[in-house]
Amino acid sequence: MNASLQEKTHKPPDTSPIARRGAPRKAARYTTRTAYNRKEQLPRLIGLWPHEVEDYSEAASERIVALLQKALRSERQRGIGGHWTYDVNRHLALKEALSEETERLRIVKGLAAVRALPPASTKRTEPAATSGNRPRAKILHLPFGEAAPTPTRNSDAK
């Protein structure tokens, strides 16, 4: 046999269990999933502007949930139909974003319902007999979004 021809031909690797035992194994490269980040993922998934992503109102959250549902429906149809543009990673990201945004909308609606409640009655009832002369603590109920008033020191009142 010619020497140049012998160099070009090669023998297949030995796949016997004995030969594989000493071979180093390659670790599978799995990407770690990061937590859902609204500002990074929503613009890529459904094409929102930054000011739309930063709007946390109830109406904006409902719009985002509707857009995510529409995009997820389209992605599912691509997967079912075997379309070449189907991307399983996009499908998973849409599913995760939809669950997070649905939870956020549920919370926002809950807070809106709390704000819609009528204020507590102004009638003050005397509490049951307390032990000792210790005054009862005042409970300050604030509507969502308002800050508590800062206490001021008044040197005149003693």
Side-chain angles (χ1 to χ4, degrees), residues 4 11 19 21 24 26 48 54 60 70 80 90-92 103 110 114 125 142 145-146 148-149 151-152:
S4 61
K11 162 173 122 172
R21 187 177 300 150
K26 292 183 180 178
L48 294 178
E54 293 170 0
K70 181 180 176 183
I80 290 169
R90 175 177 163 78
H91 191 149
L92 291 174
E103 180 67 19
V114 169
T125 59
L142 295 173
E146 292 184 17
T152 59

Side-chain angles (χ1 to χ4, degrees), residues 28-138:
R29 291 186 181 181
Y30 294 105
T31 58
T32 57
R33 292 190 53 97
T34 58
Y36 173 70
N37 187 346
R38 184 179 192 177
K39 290 183 180 180
E40 287 181 10
Q41 291 178 341
L42 276 183
R44 281 188 260 151
L45 290 173
I46 54 177
L48 294 178
W49 290 98
H51 70 274
E52 292 174 317
V53 173
E54 293 170 0
D55 187 4
Y56 292 97
S57 67
E58 186 177 349
S61 295
E62 286 176 348
R63 180 177 177 267
I64 288 172
V65 167
L67 288 172
L68 284 169
Q69 287 173 340
K70 181 180 176 183
L72 187 59
R73 197 175 317 120
S74 299
E75 198 65 30
R76 281 186 184 136
Q77 289 303 313
R78 282 190 211 102
I80 290 169
H83 199 269
W84 66 274
T85 59
Y86 172 72
D87 184 10
V88 71
N89 292 320
R90 175 177 163 78
H91 191 149
L92 291 174
L94 283 167
K95 193 172 178 182
E96 181 185 10
L98 180 61
S99 68
E100 292 286 334
E101 290 298 324
T102 305
E103 180 67 19
R104 183 186 311 271
L105 179 62
R106 188 185 66 78
I107 292 170
V108 168
K109 282 187 174 185
L111 291 175
V114 169
R115 278 186 262 147
L117 291 176
S121 66
T122 56
K123 282 187 177 179
R124 183 166 177 116
T125 59
E126 287 300 318
T130 58
S131 61
N133 292 334
R134 195 170 124 212
R136 293 180 57 98
K138 279 186 166 180

